[in-house]
Amino acid sequence: MAGPISSHILFIYTDMIDEITYLNEHYTEFEPKCPIVIPSYQNREGTILKDLKSLTNNKVILFIYDIDYDNYKQYLENPNVEIVTIKEKWRSIQRKRHWIQVYLANERPEIENYIMADDDIRKAKLTCYKEDLSITSKYIPIKNALGILEHLHKKYSNTVSGGAGENTGILSGKVVHKNKYFYQVFCFNNKWLKDHPQCMFRDMQNVSEDNVLWYDCYNNNQPYYAFECLYFECNNQRVKTYNSIASTPINRIRNDINALRIMKHNTKLHWSKEWNCWAVRFVPGFTQTPIIWDKVKSILDTNLPNWQDINNNYTEDEFTKTFNLLSDYLKPLFNEDKNDSTLEEFFM
C-alpha cells in the first residue's frame, strides 16, 4: 500500500480576497445543484427538516430507518424530496453514514457530487472584509452557503470538501486548507468514493467518524479541502431540543476511545469545551509526544485487553473506567484557559 502523503503539504496559499469579495456581492446567486443528503432519525423536533426550502430548491434525499417511514412520508409532498429506507437492526449514525455512501456509490452513479449534512444544521457564515481589508464574517442563508460550498468543491477539489472546522477558522478565510479537519457538512465526489471505498466513513457502531475519516484519507494518499471562508453551525449539546443517541455520555466515551484505538499515537488530544472532557483529533503528520503516548498506551493495555484489534468490543463499565483513567491523567496537562487547547501546546 502506498505511504502517507507528505505531511508538510498542508495549505494551498491561494489569494482569495477577490473571490471572497465576489462571493459577498453575489452570494444570493449560489444555490446547491447537487443533492443534499440527510441522515435523520425519528423526525425529531428542532431539525432543519421543517424548513427544507432553506437548504435547497433542488434534490433532497432523506435516509431513514424503515420503521420510521410513517414519521417522514409527509415530506414526500415536496416533489424534490426522496426517501431511502434502511432495513437494518442497528442504530448508529456512524454505520448509517457508511451505508449511505455505499448505496450512493453503487446504486446512484448518476450523482456526481452530493452534500451530506446533519439534520440539525442551523446557520452559515461567510468571510467578508471591512473597508481596511481586515477579516470578519457575516451570516448568510444556509442555501447560499451550500451553493458556495459546491462551487468551491468543483473548482478546487475532486474528493471531499467542507467549511471551517471551527468558528474561529473563518477568520483565516482567504486560505484554502488542504488536509485540515472539518465536521458535519461534507461535499463528496461520488465516483471518488466508489474508487476509494477505504475513504468512506467506517462501518462501525461507535467511533468518532469525522476524525477517523481524515486519518483514512491521509493514509491512502487522498487529500481533503477545508474552505475556511465558510462556517456551518449545527446545534451543540447545550441547545438540542431532542434526545440524541450519538451524544449520550457512554457513546461519546466509546466514540473517542475507539478513534484513539484506530489512530493511536497519531491522535492529537485536546480539551473540548463543549463536552467538558478530552477528545481526539487527527492532524496530518502529528505524532504524540512519547511520554504522553506511553502512558496512554499503558492505560489502554491494562484496561482494554487486546485493544489494538478494533473488532474487539468491551463493556460499558470497561469503556467508562478507561475513559476516566485517561481523563485523570490528561486533564492536568491541558491549559484550560484556552478553548480546545492541545497537549502539543503544553509541551512546546
Side-chain angles (χ1 to χ4, degrees):
M1 186 171 105
I5 57 181
S6 299
S7 61
H8 66 282
I9 305 176
L10 299 181
F11 307 107
I12 303 174
Y13 287 101
T14 303
D15 184 351
M16 294 185 69
I17 292 178
D18 290 342
E19 187 162 16
I20 289 170
T21 300
Y22 179 85
L23 293 174
N24 272 267
E25 294 172 351
H26 298 271
Y27 68 84
T28 58
E29 300 171 16
F30 290 87
E31 295 183 14
K33 302 296 189 294
C34 69
I36 307 299
V37 169
I38 304 176
S40 190
Y41 179 65
Q42 291 188 343
N43 196 21
R44 303 161 298 190
E45 292 296 323
T47 71
I48 200 66
L49 301 190
K50 307 303 185 293
D51 188 19
L52 288 175
K53 282 286 187 181
S54 69
L55 294 182
T56 184
N57 289 316
N58 293 301
K59 187 78 168 178
V60 175
I61 309 177
L62 303 180
F63 285 85
I64 65 171
Y65 299 115
D66 56 339
I67 62 172
D68 281 344
Y69 180 78
D70 286 344
N71 295 326
Y72 286 88
K73 60 184 181 182
Q74 61 184 289
Y75 299 113
L76 293 176
E77 296 174 5
N78 181 336
N80 291 327
V81 172
E82 176 184 351
I83 294 177
V84 177
T85 56
I86 301 173
K87 299 176 182 179
E88 300 285 354
K89 293 182 178 180
W90 44 258
R91 298 292 178 266
S92 165
I93 183 58
Q94 294 88 350
R95 296 191 73 179
K96 182 184 281 188
R97 292 191 196 279
H98 175 82
W99 192 99
I100 292 169
Q101 291 189 313
V102 171
Y103 169 82
L104 292 174
N106 292 289
E107 304 298 329
R108 305 295 292 271
E110 77 279 7
I111 295 176
E112 178 184 2
N113 298 296
Y114 60 87
I115 294 173
M116 182 184 290
D118 286 2
D119 65 6
D120 59 357
I121 186 173
R122 55 198 293 263
K123 291 181 180 180
K125 284 182 178 180
L126 175 66
T127 296
C128 57
Y129 298 105
K130 299 179 182 177
E131 290 185 3
D132 61 359
L133 291 185
S134 59
I135 298 178
T136 183
S137 63
K138 66 182 180 184
Y139 286 105
I140 65 172
I142 299 173
K143 180 193 308 182
N144 303 130
L146 294 175
I148 292 172
L149 172 60
E150 181 184 9
H151 164 73
L152 295 175
H153 170 83
K154 293 173 76 172
K155 180 175 180 178
Y156 292 99
S157 167
N158 62 349
T159 58
V160 53
S161 308
E166 52 196 353
N167 197 10
T168 55
I170 199 168
L171 299 182
S172 303
K174 67 179 180 179
V175 179
V176 179
H177 286 270
K178 180 179 180 181
N179 303 328
K180 187 172 182 181
Y181 61 87
F182 54 89
Y183 308 111
Q184 295 177 299
V185 179
F186 311 83
C187 189
F188 287 103
N189 180 278
N190 198 28
K191 184 178 184 303
W192 169 71
L193 279 176
K194 183 175 178 63
D195 292 341
H196 299 87
Q198 67 274 27
C199 295
M200 292 182 177
F201 290 113
R202 291 206 179 193
D203 185 14
M204 288 185 61
Q205 185 77 21
N206 282 105
V207 69
S208 180
E209 77 278 13
D210 43 12
N211 280 293
V212 172
L213 177 65
W214 313 132
Y215 174 83
D216 288 337
C217 285
Y218 178 78
N219 283 317
N220 286 281
N221 297 296
Q222 297 300 306
Y224 44 96
Y225 299 84
F227 302 116
E228 299 215 329
C229 60
L230 292 170
Y231 178 70
F232 297 96
E233 291 185 9
C234 294
N235 290 338
N236 62 34
Q237 65 168 353
R238 290 187 290 273
V239 300
K240 285 180 178 175
T241 58
Y242 54 84
N243 293 325
S244 171
I245 294 177
S247 300
T248 60
I250 184 57
N251 277 354
R252 288 288 305 174
I253 287 172
R254 289 189 181 106
N255 293 350
D256 277 339
I257 289 181
N258 283 338
L260 177 60
R261 292 168 65 195
I262 290 170
M263 300 189 293
K264 304 180 179 69
H265 54 79
N266 295 121
T267 301
K268 190 168 188 177
L269 300 162
H270 69 105
W271 190 261
S272 171
K273 184 177 180 181
E274 177 181 352
W275 298 101
N276 192 32
C277 65
W278 66 270
V280 299
R281 180 176 292 160
F282 175 70
V283 177
F286 176 78
T287 302
Q288 188 57 261
T289 308
I291 190 172
I292 299 290
W293 174 244
D294 288 348
K295 180 61 177 178
V296 169
K297 181 177 181 300
S298 176
I299 292 172
L300 294 173
D301 287 341
T302 302
N303 296 279
L304 302 178
N306 200 20
W307 61 268
Q308 297 195 53
D309 182 350
I310 197 63
N311 293 312
N312 286 339
N313 202 0
Y314 303 94
T315 66
E316 181 174 326
D317 287 344
E318 288 172 316
F319 271 114
T320 301
K321 178 182 178 182
T322 303
F323 189 89
N324 289 338
L325 288 169
L326 288 168
S327 294
D328 292 343
Y329 170 63
L330 295 170
K331 188 172 183 178
L333 304 181
F334 290 110
N335 177 359
E336 295 181 47
D337 293 331
K338 294 183 180 180
N339 292 345
D340 284 345
S341 58
T342 68
L343 295 183
E344 181 186 44
E345 293 167 350
F346 181 85
F347 282 96
M348 286 177 65

